[in-house]
Amino acid sequence: MSNTSGTADDRSEERRGGAGSVQSVDRAVSVLEILAKLGEAGVTEISEELGVHKSTAFRILGVLEHRGLVEQERERGKYYLGAGVLRLAGAAAIRLDISQEGQPVCRALADDTGETANIAVLDGDAAVNIMQARGAAAVTAYNWLGRRTPLHATASGKVLLAHLPHERRESLVTRKLPRFTENTLTTASGLRAQLTAALEDGFACTSEELEIGLNAVAAPVRAHDGSVIGAIGVSGPAYRMARQRLPELAERAALAAVELSRRMGYGG
């Protein structure tokens, strides 16, 4: 099914961007699916599966190889899925595992505190909530599930930010920090101080920093190797989760984090 007549069209679409760029992405994903199905394949096989010229298939494979998503057997010229796919799959697996293992822990924390319990993971430069459970005292029907929240203005975000490698953490701390309320930390020095405290205390707190009337606490969840892969915490109205009560709730969140970390294989 080699399509030699389509070569010029393929190139012009890739140069134009827009629909051509979307088509290139679609083809790249198709290449990964082809290799997943066949195990390995040469340029000719891949071009025939895609219905494109060999030069187009070769360019796509070159990009994927550069990103570590495919590798080539030099002697035979066959391509196969690379270690980069395993890295992406591992990240997805961790997110799925923490959702599955975290469900009973999140539920128990909500029942214990009476407030809304959440589990969050890092998503680029934000925290995303992947699990939520409401306690008996939770009066709001607000759904945090799937919501991306700023790292510097949330308890879960501060936990995740505090445990990032130094250079990555500094790049996020020193950028412009948007203000959401009058209590939001917007200076690098102030945020650094709170991140240091989070590392020392084993938890982080926020007091009306994202929304007026909303307080929260969170603690780190660790994988089997000790790396922080998420945060579990509690949020609720400031009139019930008053500042003086936050350390007590943080201790409960920390206990939940220990339990979830154990479920994730951490033995420390």
Side-chain angles (χ1 to χ4, degrees):
M1 271 178 64
S2 179
N3 183 14
T4 55
S5 63
T7 304
D9 290 341
D10 292 337
R11 289 175 176 168
S12 64
E13 284 178 353
E14 290 171 4
R15 283 196 299 268
R16 284 199 307 270
S21 296
V22 173
Q23 186 180 49
S24 295
V25 172
D26 182 71
R27 286 172 174 170
V29 173
S30 295
V31 169
L32 297 177
E33 291 176 340
I34 290 167
L35 293 177
K37 178 180 68 174
L38 300 179
E40 61 178 25
V43 175
T44 299
E45 294 171 89
I46 291 171
S47 66
E48 289 176 350
E49 289 277 344
L50 289 177
V52 299
H53 193 268
K54 286 174 62 175
S55 61
T56 298
F58 187 77
R59 286 197 301 274
I60 296 170
L61 285 163
V63 173
L64 294 174
E65 186 176 15
H66 177 70
R67 300 302 294 267
L69 297 176
V70 304
E71 296 177 19
Q72 185 181 26
E73 174 60 57
R74 297 301 175 187
E75 292 183 3
R76 296 183 301 132
K78 298 282 188 177
Y79 289 87
Y80 55 92
L81 294 178
V85 173
L86 296 178
R87 183 185 70 249
L88 297 176
I94 286 174
R95 184 171 292 196
L96 290 173
D97 286 346
I98 197 173
S99 295
Q100 181 177 354
E101 297 295 338
Q103 189 170 10
V105 181
C106 192
R107 177 73 266 166
L109 181 59
D111 291 342
D112 178 43
T113 60
E115 304 295 348
T116 299
N118 287 285
I119 297 174
V121 297
L122 189 67
D123 185 24
D125 60 353
V128 61
N129 293 281
I130 61 171
M131 180 66 58
Q132 175 176 288
R134 294 191 184 92
V139 295
T140 178
Y142 192 87
N143 186 11
W144 291 91
L145 199 60
R147 179 176 172 183
R148 298 178 81 251
T149 55
L151 297 176
H152 70 290
T154 59
S156 294
K158 288 179 185 178
V159 166
L160 297 170
L161 185 55
H163 289 88
L164 285 176
H166 177 75
E167 288 188 7
R168 174 63 174 153
R169 183 173 65 244
E170 277 297 297
S171 70
L172 294 171
V173 167
T174 55
R175 67 178 183 169
K176 184 177 181 180
L177 302 173
R179 181 179 295 279
F180 300 97
T181 75
E182 61 182 11
N183 296 323
T184 306
L185 277 172
T186 58
T187 65
S189 59
L191 184 54
R192 284 196 195 97
Q194 287 212 354
L195 297 181
T196 299
L199 292 173
E200 293 174 351
D201 298 337
F203 60 82
C205 303
T206 53
S207 181
E208 301 186 88
E209 295 174 37
L210 181 63
E211 295 181 8
I212 293 297
L214 178 70
N215 288 354
V217 297
V221 177
R222 299 181 183 274
H224 64 91
D225 60 357
S227 61
V228 172
I229 55 173
I232 184 168
V234 179
S235 61
Y239 69 84
R240 196 164 56 235
M241 284 183 59
R243 288 194 180 192
Q244 58 268 29
R245 193 185 172 213
L246 294 185
E248 169 216 334
L249 291 170
E251 287 184 11
R252 298 190 193 185
L255 289 174
V258 168
E259 170 60 17
L260 183 49
S261 297
R262 183 191 66 77
R263 286 172 170 262
M264 297 300 295
Y266 180 61

